[in-house]
Amino acid sequence: MQCQELLVRGLSLGMILGGVMHFICLRKSHAAYGRYVDTSGSSMMVPARLAWFLQELPALLVPLLLMLITDGKHSTGKHLMLWTFCLHYFQRSCIYSLLTKGRPYPFNIMLSGMVFCSINGFLQAHYLLHCATYHNTWFSDACLLTGLIIFFIGMGVNIHSDHILRSLRKPGEISYKIPRGGLFEYVSGANFFGEMVQWLGYAVATWSLPTFAFAFFTICFIGPRAYHHHRFYHEKFKDFPRSRRSLIPFIF
């Protein structure tokens, strides 16, 4: 398959525009899943574990499929970055989804997530397999090493923070508690901060428009959610630590 430059550019710019629109809309409202689900509505609900599995899976399967059907030899660099991308979505679809204790998920939110993950999985895989050019010296490049280090630090923060959140509830509990430990001592959205750091690192490592667009969209989508979580804790718990920030330690 030849590189579809116009398609890559169009999808990337569309993702950036979508991020801006989400940020504007989510400043005052919030995406209706998790603690913000309106259980009194008529929306079809899906069990949380099944919903997260189905929503995240396309971002894993689409790149794997493109790798299987793509002819020719590819540089190790392309496969390294694409497998790094797939590693995140393997963890989200095959591990996180089985462990989550979240509330039932609206079907329409899950479906929109599946569509986004399918498009993004194609965009990232197609760009790396058919458009990106990496030379042998790329492995010694400071951007690659720095980006990968940032990515895995962010992934570690994200996984550890998710573990803390799951540990807050005993089996059968649905009430919310103040998360403590790890980066939660500094920010309310430690899990969101970790994921944002992941994709910023990925964008640095690949240094491309598609990865920047995805990192930008992630920040615009989950950044406001971290703010709403922070406000939720402040309103619900009188003993909530006042020095804790929303998303970025010591800053915001």
Side-chain angles (χ1 to χ4, degrees):
M1 181 185 295
Q2 293 183 343
C3 174
Q4 304 297 320
E5 293 185 12
L6 289 179
L7 180 60
V8 168
R9 191 176 299 116
L11 290 176
S12 300
L13 294 178
M15 192 173 292
I16 293 172
L17 178 60
V20 172
M21 294 175 63
H22 272 90
F23 183 79
I24 294 173
C25 293
L26 296 176
R27 287 179 63 190
K28 296 182 179 180
S29 61
H30 34 67
Y33 67 91
R35 69 189 65 184
Y36 307 114
V37 170
D38 182 8
T39 55
S40 63
S42 58
S43 300
M44 182 186 302
M45 306 299 289
V46 183
R49 293 182 177 180
L50 178 62
W52 278 105
F53 174 75
L54 294 177
Q55 174 180 282
E56 306 290 305
L57 189 61
L60 173 63
L61 293 183
V62 172
L64 292 178
L65 179 61
L66 284 180
M67 280 193 282
L68 287 174
I69 64 175
T70 299
D71 298 325
K73 296 181 179 180
H74 312 289
S75 71
T76 305
K78 295 181 179 183
H79 281 288
L80 172 64
M81 297 315 304
L82 193 51
W83 280 112
T84 301
F85 177 86
C86 290
L87 176 64
H88 168 84
Y89 280 102
F90 173 80
Q91 194 277 329
R92 295 294 288 182
S93 60
C94 299
I95 299 177
Y96 173 83
S97 65
L98 297 178
L99 298 175
T100 185
K101 300 177 181 179
R103 295 170 179 262
Y105 212 83
F107 176 79
N108 61 320
I109 299 291
M110 182 196 76
L111 187 61
S112 63
M114 291 177 64
V115 172
F116 175 81
C117 285
S118 299
I119 294 174
N120 187 48
F122 170 81
L123 173 61
Q124 305 303 330
H126 175 72
Y127 172 79
L128 285 172
L129 291 174
H130 305 117
C131 302
T133 301
Y134 297 125
H135 303 289
N136 293 332
T137 56
W138 179 70
F139 282 102
S140 62
D141 190 271
C143 287
L144 168 67
L145 297 177
T146 302
L148 286 177
I149 291 171
I150 293 172
F151 176 89
F152 284 107
I153 289 175
M155 188 173 187
V157 170
N158 181 247
I159 292 174
H160 181 248
S161 301
D162 284 337
H163 171 72
I164 291 175
L165 291 174
R166 287 193 301 269
S167 301
L168 290 175
R169 293 179 181 173
K170 297 178 181 179
E173 282 188 337
I174 59 173
S175 60
Y176 288 96
K177 302 176 183 178
I178 300 175
R180 301 185 186 277
L183 207 62
F184 281 114
E185 295 298 324
Y186 303 96
V187 293
S188 298
N191 51 328
F192 301 126
F193 176 77
E195 187 164 354
M196 287 167 48
V197 169
Q198 268 189 273
W199 297 123
L200 284 172
Y202 190 74
V204 170
T206 58
W207 208 254
S208 66
L209 178 61
T211 54
F212 167 79
F214 180 38
F216 180 82
F217 181 91
T218 300
I219 293 171
C220 290
F221 187 78
I222 65 178
R225 192 168 182 84
Y227 169 76
H228 289 300
H229 277 21
H230 185 68
R231 190 171 64 178
F232 170 86
Y233 289 128
H234 263 287
E235 295 174 352
K236 187 174 180 63
F237 301 103
K238 293 183 179 180
D239 60 337
F240 184 77
R242 300 301 168 180
S243 61
R244 190 177 296 186
R245 301 300 182 185
S246 302
L247 184 62
I248 305 174
F250 310 112
I251 298 177
F252 171 72

